[in-house]
Amino acid sequence: MGMTITEKILAKSAGKSRLTPGENVWLNVDVLMTHDVCGPPTIEIWKKEFGSEAKIWDKDKLVIFPDHYIFTENVHANRNVEMLRKFAREQELKNYYDPGTERYKGVCHIALAEEGFNVPGTVLFGTDSHTCTSGAFGMFSTGVGNTDAAFIMGTGKIWEKVPESIKFTFNGKMPEYLTAKDLILHILGDIGTDGATYCAMEFDGEAIESLSMYERMTLTNMAIETGAISGIIAVDKVTEEYLEGKVRGGYEVFRSDSDAKYLKTYSYDVSKLKPVVAQPHSPDKRALAGEVSGTKVTKCYIGSCTGGKITDFRFAARILSGKKVKLPTYIVPGSTSVAKMLTEETYDGATLKEIFLKAGCMIAPPSCAACLGGPSDTFGRSVDGDVVVSTTNRNFPGRMGSKNAGVYLASALTVAATAVKGSLADPAECM
Amino acid sequence: MNNKITGRAYVLGDNIDTDQIIPAEHLVYSTSDPEELKNYGRFALSGVPPVEAGLPEGKKPFIKENGFTSEFSVIIGGSNFGCGSSREHAPLALMVAGVKAVIAESYARIFYRNSVDGGFVIPFETPVKLNNVFKTGDEVEVDFENNTITNLNSKKTYSLNSLGSVYDIVKAGGIFSYARNTGMLAR
Ligand code: SF4
């Protein structure tokens, strides 16, 4: 019996020749990532358990990206960042990216890719449920709680139950109105928020191969929304090109065997799919954008690790170029390099930033911003009665701020089309 | 660790997310200050909508007014228990309230791990749904040598999935004690 890509990577990390889904194994962790919300409590547990003289198992493998609550007056939030700053100094961490300096990067999951921490064949853990994003690079990545992270910080090891795999194959050619966001929202509508609990979601097929790395990261980012432990896409030419110059030394490429065992397989023809949204208040409440077109909306939001990548802003620019928005439209680049690209890349003779500003959008510096609500002074935060159309990944009550607001999750194309129309819109109709 | 837990059951539905277990607004309390910590017990399961609190009848608060701990020490849920954000405060809040074990058909992975590795509560999985055969207030006995739960009122016994290799971590009381017991970490 063959093995899946996930089983092979975990076997290598566990020092075994083969693994069976369901068994618990101890893994050697290649990278541990944390941020300003979970970093401080993780460090506290680590100090308590390993003592004041504690040593990090491997300083170069701990990566800290403050990103959640950055541009705020909130005392608690600023105290947390200060704690990380002090810790990084004490421990002489080279992979600490301090806000307010040139090293600041923005949202951790995008920064991991940009800074070359996503290495095919390796195992990455993070104190954030969307750590599964890195799986777009043919690696195993997943989220853990603070106790587990503290354990990894001290030992470099963690136990994990080997997951079963579910395969999602996307065939056909992507229509111009369809994005990776539509694909994952489509899956969520089919299998629900516990449809892949504890499983690894594996994506393949001609349509996946046609996607850029950033688009692939949108798919793996939202694997957690189905309860999955991880999402994974095998390395191909697109991956290799992205990684050129980013990853020092070589990396090992794993692929699923043709006779690997899957719990289930799904197959879609993308040419038949239409833009979709997830309605309030669950990521699996799918509707076709066309079906809910005309729904009243009060705010549009383009940002986060799911929908704040350069590809998302290219989508938005295609629709916003030469137009005016009819709704308050908030733009938050996912990282400082995405923010820079907005000032350099052009569409129809104008930079993306010029297009957005001319259209009447508001642009904030990179961070998680209102994706998870955040402190009361957060850019784009929802207030009572808001109906937000957003490129983010979760729409549980209160997620973007007010418990009395609703959030529709959608692609950047759908959000931009909605901003121009003034109510929920199907991008297929304006292209 | 005792091989048996006896206590009264509190029955919940499917998809109990971490916001229902401990709403985000209560995450401000320190987890190391014993006085502040009590508040996690006080607000445990306070996000569960009243009609679904304490099934089958509902409207049975988990914590009595002005209380800090619960009269119920075994939670019986359905599927996807603990979904949503990865906050470790969720199993912590249940422990502070006095919960010893959670029995559910399935768990969201991070909640399950946090429960086991932090040594907060013991999460048992069941082969079939049990939240429709138990009533809130039933006296139960969980036996984790034999992997069973018995309803002491009706004398009926149901099987639980074996904890498997997680058993050793549960028995040790968390991942750090486990690692010390096995020599993985120095004592
Ligand atoms: S952008 Fe949103 S989902 Fe992504 S890491 Fe930040 S808060 Fe989490």
mmCIF file with all atom_site columns, all heavy atoms in Angstrom, chain A residues 68 107 109 128 130 304-305 368 371-372 393 399, ligand 1:
data_model
loop_
_atom_site.group_PDB
_atom_site.id
_atom_site.type_symbol
_atom_site.label_atom_id
_atom_site.label_alt_id
_atom_site.label_comp_id
_atom_site.label_asym_id
_atom_site.label_entity_id
_atom_site.label_seq_id
_atom_site.pdbx_PDB_ins_code
_atom_site.Cartn_x
_atom_site.Cartn_y
_atom_site.Cartn_z
_atom_site.occupancy
_atom_site.B_iso_or_equiv
_atom_site.pdbx_formal_charge
_atom_site.auth_seq_id
_atom_site.auth_comp_id
_atom_site.auth_asym_id
_atom_site.auth_atom_id
_atom_site.pdbx_PDB_model_num
ATOM   1   N  N   . HIS A 1 68  ? -0.856  40.788 15.049 1.00 0.00 ? 68  HIS A N   1
ATOM   2   C  CA  . HIS A 1 68  ? -2.296  40.865 15.310 1.00 0.00 ? 68  HIS A CA  1
ATOM   3   C  C   . HIS A 1 68  ? -2.749  42.259 15.727 1.00 0.00 ? 68  HIS A C   1
ATOM   4   O  O   . HIS A 1 68  ? -3.574  42.875 15.074 1.00 0.00 ? 68  HIS A O   1
ATOM   5   C  CB  . HIS A 1 68  ? -2.699  39.836 16.365 1.00 0.00 ? 68  HIS A CB  1
ATOM   6   C  CG  . HIS A 1 68  ? -2.938  38.481 15.772 1.00 0.00 ? 68  HIS A CG  1
ATOM   7   N  ND1 . HIS A 1 68  ? -1.959  37.788 15.102 1.00 0.00 ? 68  HIS A ND1 1
ATOM   8   C  CD2 . HIS A 1 68  ? -4.028  37.694 15.746 1.00 0.00 ? 68  HIS A CD2 1
ATOM   9   C  CE1 . HIS A 1 68  ? -2.456  36.630 14.674 1.00 0.00 ? 68  HIS A CE1 1
ATOM   10  N  NE2 . HIS A 1 68  ? -3.711  36.550 15.054 1.00 0.00 ? 68  HIS A NE2 1
ATOM   11  N  N   . VAL A 1 107 ? 1.359   40.083 8.490  1.00 0.00 ? 107 VAL A N   1
ATOM   12  C  CA  . VAL A 1 107 ? 0.680   38.849 8.902  1.00 0.00 ? 107 VAL A CA  1
ATOM   13  C  C   . VAL A 1 107 ? 1.584   37.612 8.753  1.00 0.00 ? 107 VAL A C   1
ATOM   14  O  O   . VAL A 1 107 ? 2.126   37.334 7.678  1.00 0.00 ? 107 VAL A O   1
ATOM   15  C  CB  . VAL A 1 107 ? -0.632  38.646 8.120  1.00 0.00 ? 107 VAL A CB  1
ATOM   16  C  CG1 . VAL A 1 107 ? -1.352  37.404 8.612  1.00 0.00 ? 107 VAL A CG1 1
ATOM   17  C  CG2 . VAL A 1 107 ? -1.524  39.878 8.270  1.00 0.00 ? 107 VAL A CG2 1
ATOM   18  N  N   . HIS A 1 109 ? 1.437   34.356 8.427  1.00 0.00 ? 109 HIS A N   1
ATOM   19  C  CA  . HIS A 1 109 ? 1.382   33.262 7.437  1.00 0.00 ? 109 HIS A CA  1
ATOM   20  C  C   . HIS A 1 109 ? 1.900   33.691 6.068  1.00 0.00 ? 109 HIS A C   1
ATOM   21  O  O   . HIS A 1 109 ? 2.451   32.888 5.325  1.00 0.00 ? 109 HIS A O   1
ATOM   22  C  CB  . HIS A 1 109 ? -0.036  32.715 7.341  1.00 0.00 ? 109 HIS A CB  1
ATOM   23  C  CG  . HIS A 1 109 ? -0.599  32.371 8.681  1.00 0.00 ? 109 HIS A CG  1
ATOM   24  N  ND1 . HIS A 1 109 ? -0.018  31.436 9.499  1.00 0.00 ? 109 HIS A ND1 1
ATOM   25  C  CD2 . HIS A 1 109 ? -1.640  32.895 9.378  1.00 0.00 ? 109 HIS A CD2 1
ATOM   26  C  CE1 . HIS A 1 109 ? -0.694  31.377 10.635 1.00 0.00 ? 109 HIS A CE1 1
ATOM   27  N  NE2 . HIS A 1 109 ? -1.682  32.255 10.589 1.00 0.00 ? 109 HIS A NE2 1
ATOM   28  N  N   . ASP A 1 128 ? -1.157  29.334 15.959 1.00 0.00 ? 128 ASP A N   1
ATOM   29  C  CA  . ASP A 1 128 ? -2.237  30.018 15.275 1.00 0.00 ? 128 ASP A CA  1
ATOM   30  C  C   . ASP A 1 128 ? -2.941  28.982 14.413 1.00 0.00 ? 128 ASP A C   1
ATOM   31  O  O   . ASP A 1 128 ? -2.273  28.206 13.726 1.00 0.00 ? 128 ASP A O   1
ATOM   32  C  CB  . ASP A 1 128 ? -1.661  31.137 14.396 1.00 0.00 ? 128 ASP A CB  1
ATOM   33  C  CG  . ASP A 1 128 ? -2.758  32.012 13.828 1.00 0.00 ? 128 ASP A CG  1
ATOM   34  O  OD1 . ASP A 1 128 ? -3.455  31.548 12.895 1.00 0.00 ? 128 ASP A OD1 1
ATOM   35  O  OD2 . ASP A 1 128 ? -2.932  33.136 14.314 1.00 0.00 ? 128 ASP A OD2 1
ATOM   36  N  N   . HIS A 1 130 ? -4.427  29.112 11.705 1.00 0.00 ? 130 HIS A N   1
ATOM   37  C  CA  . HIS A 1 130 ? -4.217  29.173 10.248 1.00 0.00 ? 130 HIS A CA  1
ATOM   38  C  C   . HIS A 1 130 ? -2.794  28.847 9.812  1.00 0.00 ? 130 HIS A C   1
ATOM   39  O  O   . HIS A 1 130 ? -2.414  29.090 8.665  1.00 0.00 ? 130 HIS A O   1
ATOM   40  C  CB  . HIS A 1 130 ? -4.657  30.532 9.703  1.00 0.00 ? 130 HIS A CB  1
ATOM   41  C  CG  . HIS A 1 130 ? -6.146  30.701 9.795  1.00 0.00 ? 130 HIS A CG  1
ATOM   42  N  ND1 . HIS A 1 130 ? -6.744  31.485 10.760 1.00 0.00 ? 130 HIS A ND1 1
ATOM   43  C  CD2 . HIS A 1 130 ? -7.137  30.143 9.083  1.00 0.00 ? 130 HIS A CD2 1
ATOM   44  C  CE1 . HIS A 1 130 ? -8.052  31.393 10.625 1.00 0.00 ? 130 HIS A CE1 1
ATOM   45  N  NE2 . HIS A 1 130 ? -8.323  30.591 9.615  1.00 0.00 ? 130 HIS A NE2 1
ATOM   46  N  N   . SER A 1 304 ? -6.082  40.420 5.251  1.00 0.00 ? 304 SER A N   1
ATOM   47  C  CA  . SER A 1 304 ? -5.821  39.184 6.017  1.00 0.00 ? 304 SER A CA  1
ATOM   48  C  C   . SER A 1 304 ? -4.899  38.211 5.299  1.00 0.00 ? 304 SER A C   1
ATOM   49  O  O   . SER A 1 304 ? -4.550  38.401 4.141  1.00 0.00 ? 304 SER A O   1
ATOM   50  C  CB  . SER A 1 304 ? -7.119  38.450 6.375  1.00 0.00 ? 304 SER A CB  1
ATOM   51  O  OG  . SER A 1 304 ? -7.532  37.601 5.323  1.00 0.00 ? 304 SER A OG  1
ATOM   52  N  N   . CYS A 1 305 ? -4.554  37.129 6.025  1.00 0.00 ? 305 CYS A N   1
ATOM   53  C  CA  . CYS A 1 305 ? -3.695  36.096 5.447  1.00 0.00 ? 305 CYS A CA  1
ATOM   54  C  C   . CYS A 1 305 ? -4.416  35.350 4.333  1.00 0.00 ? 305 CYS A C   1
ATOM   55  O  O   . CYS A 1 305 ? -3.789  34.767 3.458  1.00 0.00 ? 305 CYS A O   1
ATOM   56  C  CB  . CYS A 1 305 ? -3.223  35.118 6.529  1.00 0.00 ? 305 CYS A CB  1
ATOM   57  S  SG  . CYS A 1 305 ? -4.537  34.415 7.527  1.00 0.00 ? 305 CYS A SG  1
ATOM   58  N  N   . CYS A 1 368 ? -3.045  42.214 10.930 1.00 0.00 ? 368 CYS A N   1
ATOM   59  C  CA  . CYS A 1 368 ? -4.287  41.434 10.897 1.00 0.00 ? 368 CYS A CA  1
ATOM   60  C  C   . CYS A 1 368 ? -5.502  42.368 10.890 1.00 0.00 ? 368 CYS A C   1
ATOM   61  O  O   . CYS A 1 368 ? -6.583  41.989 10.442 1.00 0.00 ? 368 CYS A O   1
ATOM   62  C  CB  . CYS A 1 368 ? -4.387  40.508 12.096 1.00 0.00 ? 368 CYS A CB  1
ATOM   63  S  SG  . CYS A 1 368 ? -3.153  39.210 12.111 1.00 0.00 ? 368 CYS A SG  1
ATOM   64  N  N   . CYS A 1 371 ? -9.590  41.652 10.815 1.00 0.00 ? 371 CYS A N   1
ATOM   65  C  CA  . CYS A 1 371 ? -9.908  40.253 10.509 1.00 0.00 ? 371 CYS A CA  1
ATOM   66  C  C   . CYS A 1 371 ? -10.471 39.543 11.724 1.00 0.00 ? 371 CYS A C   1
ATOM   67  O  O   . CYS A 1 371 ? -11.403 38.755 11.621 1.00 0.00 ? 371 CYS A O   1
ATOM   68  C  CB  . CYS A 1 371 ? -8.670  39.525 10.006 1.00 0.00 ? 371 CYS A CB  1
ATOM   69  S  SG  . CYS A 1 371 ? -8.872  37.760 9.858  1.00 0.00 ? 371 CYS A SG  1
ATOM   70  N  N   . LEU A 1 372 ? -9.908  39.811 12.900 1.00 0.00 ? 372 LEU A N   1
ATOM   71  C  CA  . LEU A 1 372 ? -10.442 39.191 14.127 1.00 0.00 ? 372 LEU A CA  1
ATOM   72  C  C   . LEU A 1 372 ? -10.938 40.259 15.091 1.00 0.00 ? 372 LEU A C   1
ATOM   73  O  O   . LEU A 1 372 ? -10.861 40.112 16.309 1.00 0.00 ? 372 LEU A O   1
ATOM   74  C  CB  . LEU A 1 372 ? -9.404  38.271 14.794 1.00 0.00 ? 372 LEU A CB  1
ATOM   75  C  CG  . LEU A 1 372 ? -8.316  38.877 15.671 1.00 0.00 ? 372 LEU A CG  1
ATOM   76  C  CD1 . LEU A 1 372 ? -7.643  37.820 16.485 1.00 0.00 ? 372 LEU A CD1 1
ATOM   77  C  CD2 . LEU A 1 372 ? -7.380  39.688 14.857 1.00 0.00 ? 372 LEU A CD2 1
ATOM   78  N  N   . ASN A 1 393 ? -11.346 34.903 6.533  1.00 0.00 ? 393 ASN A N   1
ATOM   79  C  CA  . ASN A 1 393 ? -11.641 33.470 6.542  1.00 0.00 ? 393 ASN A CA  1
ATOM   80  C  C   . ASN A 1 393 ? -12.708 32.996 7.529  1.00 0.00 ? 393 ASN A C   1
ATOM   81  O  O   . ASN A 1 393 ? -13.131 31.854 7.478  1.00 0.00 ? 393 ASN A O   1
ATOM   82  C  CB  . ASN A 1 393 ? -10.347 32.687 6.797  1.00 0.00 ? 393 ASN A CB  1
ATOM   83  C  CG  . ASN A 1 393 ? -9.576  33.255 7.979  1.00 0.00 ? 393 ASN A CG  1
ATOM   84  O  OD1 . ASN A 1 393 ? -10.170 33.760 8.924  1.00 0.00 ? 393 ASN A OD1 1
ATOM   85  N  ND2 . ASN A 1 393 ? -8.263  33.166 7.929  1.00 0.00 ? 393 ASN A ND2 1
ATOM   86  N  N   . ARG A 1 399 ? -16.671 38.047 15.027 1.00 0.00 ? 399 ARG A N   1
ATOM   87  C  CA  . ARG A 1 399 ? -15.310 37.840 14.528 1.00 0.00 ? 399 ARG A CA  1
ATOM   88  C  C   . ARG A 1 399 ? -14.630 39.144 14.061 1.00 0.00 ? 399 ARG A C   1
ATOM   89  O  O   . ARG A 1 399 ? -13.464 39.370 14.329 1.00 0.00 ? 399 ARG A O   1
ATOM   90  C  CB  . ARG A 1 399 ? -15.340 36.820 13.382 1.00 0.00 ? 399 ARG A CB  1
ATOM   91  C  CG  . ARG A 1 399 ? -14.019 36.641 12.646 1.00 0.00 ? 399 ARG A CG  1
ATOM   92  C  CD  . ARG A 1 399 ? -12.992 35.893 13.465 1.00 0.00 ? 399 ARG A CD  1
ATOM   93  N  NE  . ARG A 1 399 ? -11.740 35.747 12.716 1.00 0.00 ? 399 ARG A NE  1
ATOM   94  C  CZ  . ARG A 1 399 ? -10.652 35.162 13.182 1.00 0.00 ? 399 ARG A CZ  1
ATOM   95  N  NH1 . ARG A 1 399 ? -10.641 34.647 14.391 1.00 0.00 ? 399 ARG A NH1 1
ATOM   96  N  NH2 . ARG A 1 399 ? -9.574  35.067 12.459 1.00 0.00 ? 399 ARG A NH2 1
HETATM 97  S  S1  . SF4 C 2 .   ? -5.111  37.794 9.264  1.00 0.00 ? 1   SF4 C S1  1
HETATM 98  FE FE1 . SF4 C 2 .   ? -6.816  37.003 10.474 1.00 0.00 ? 1   SF4 C FE1 1
HETATM 99  S  S2  . SF4 C 2 .   ? -6.793  34.796 10.220 1.00 0.00 ? 1   SF4 C S2  1
HETATM 100 FE FE2 . SF4 C 2 .   ? -4.831  35.587 9.475  1.00 0.00 ? 1   SF4 C FE2 1
HETATM 101 S  S3  . SF4 C 2 .   ? -3.447  35.392 11.226 1.00 0.00 ? 1   SF4 C S3  1
HETATM 102 FE FE3 . SF4 C 2 .   ? -4.344  37.446 11.310 1.00 0.00 ? 1   SF4 C FE3 1
HETATM 103 S  S4  . SF4 C 2 .   ? -6.161  37.262 12.583 1.00 0.00 ? 1   SF4 C S4  1
HETATM 104 FE FE4 . SF4 C 2 .   ? -5.558  35.201 12.020 1.00 0.00 ? 1   SF4 C FE4 1
#
